Amino acid sequence: MKIGLYPGSFDPVTFGHLDVIERSRKMVDKLIVGVLQNRQKTPLFSMEERVRMISEHTKKWDNVEVHSFTGLTVDYAKKVQANIIVRGLRAVTDFEFELQLAQTNKVIAEEVDTIFLATSLKYSYLSSSTVKEIASFHGDISAFVPKDVEEAMKKKFDEQERRRGI
């Protein structure tokens, strides 16, 4: 059985992420979307909120599961018996970092391969950070995220403004 793991912080999940999920799920028997806590980032959404949002948009695919995890991605891949780690590449600038990570993971877990999926051209510029920046200034993010995610982001930023008295 081919099991893939698509890890990421998904804060928030974007149409680009959903595109990679949809395409990669066709390459494996089971795809696990692994929502992780990135210590280098302060998330807008809790781990539970991110898992719930992704689950809502992937429930139509019976071979996709969404789980949260902490620690090294490669250790989690071994834990869930994933043979493949899926990584999306938006631009050449992503490649160097992702290649270094894939090579390191291969040393740690020889049985786990990494595949790179080039993002669809229409999402190649898209990042969660950019979406959060636009949303924080009440910009239109409807082309980047599903409607429920857009509404959840608006609510989060409105709450933050109320707390700061803006």
Side-chain angles (χ1 to χ4, degrees):
M1 175 180 247
K2 283 192 172 130
I3 300 173
L5 171 63
Y6 178 36
S9 53
F10 306 105
D11 186 46
V13 63
T14 68
F15 288 135
H17 294 131
L18 294 172
D19 176 64
V20 171
I21 292 168
E22 182 174 10
R23 291 168 46 219
S24 61
R25 73 166 192 89
K26 297 173 185 174
M27 300 176 189
V28 295
D29 299 306
K30 177 166 73 171
L31 179 67
I32 298 168
V33 179
V35 180
L36 63 96
Q37 182 68 45
N38 185 336
R39 288 192 236 172
Q40 297 169 351
K41 297 179 181 178
T42 303
L44 179 63
F45 294 104
S46 70
M47 184 95 70
E48 295 78 19
E49 289 170 316
R50 289 179 277 153
V51 167
R52 185 178 35 65
M53 283 188 273
I54 297 167
S55 296
E56 183 61 32
H57 291 280
T58 60
K59 67 184 177 187
K60 61 188 168 205
W61 300 312
D62 59 1
N63 70 329
V64 177
E65 297 177 7
V66 184
H67 302 281
S68 62
F69 74 98
T70 58
L72 295 175
T73 297
V74 71
D75 288 342
Y76 188 67
K78 290 191 295 188
K79 179 180 176 181
V80 297
Q81 300 178 328
N83 330 67
I84 299 166
I85 295 173
V86 177
R87 299 299 294 168
L89 295 176
R90 292 173 295 195
V92 173
T93 52
D94 290 343
F95 182 73
E96 186 175 352
F97 172 77
E98 292 293 347
L99 179 63
Q100 193 174 26
L101 203 56
Q103 291 170 330
T104 303
N105 287 343
K106 193 69 173 167
V107 170
I108 295 170
E110 190 175 292
E111 69 278 13
V112 180
D113 285 309
T114 299
I115 62 169
F116 300 113
L117 280 182
T119 57
S120 296
L121 188 57
K122 66 182 181 178
Y123 303 122
S124 63
Y125 62 89
L126 188 56
S127 74
S128 293
S129 299
T130 301
V131 172
K132 284 190 281 195
E133 180 75 8
I134 295 167
S136 73
F137 290 103
H138 306 286
D140 181 5
I141 57 171
S142 60
F144 313 131
V145 296
K147 186 71 175 164
D148 63 312
V149 175
E150 178 183 6
E151 290 169 0
M153 291 182 75
K154 181 181 179 344
K155 184 177 177 185
K156 286 279 186 183
F157 285 117
D158 286 349
E159 288 171 5
Q160 287 179 359
E161 287 179 0
R162 275 194 298 280
R163 279 195 297 261
R164 290 192 312 248
I166 296 175

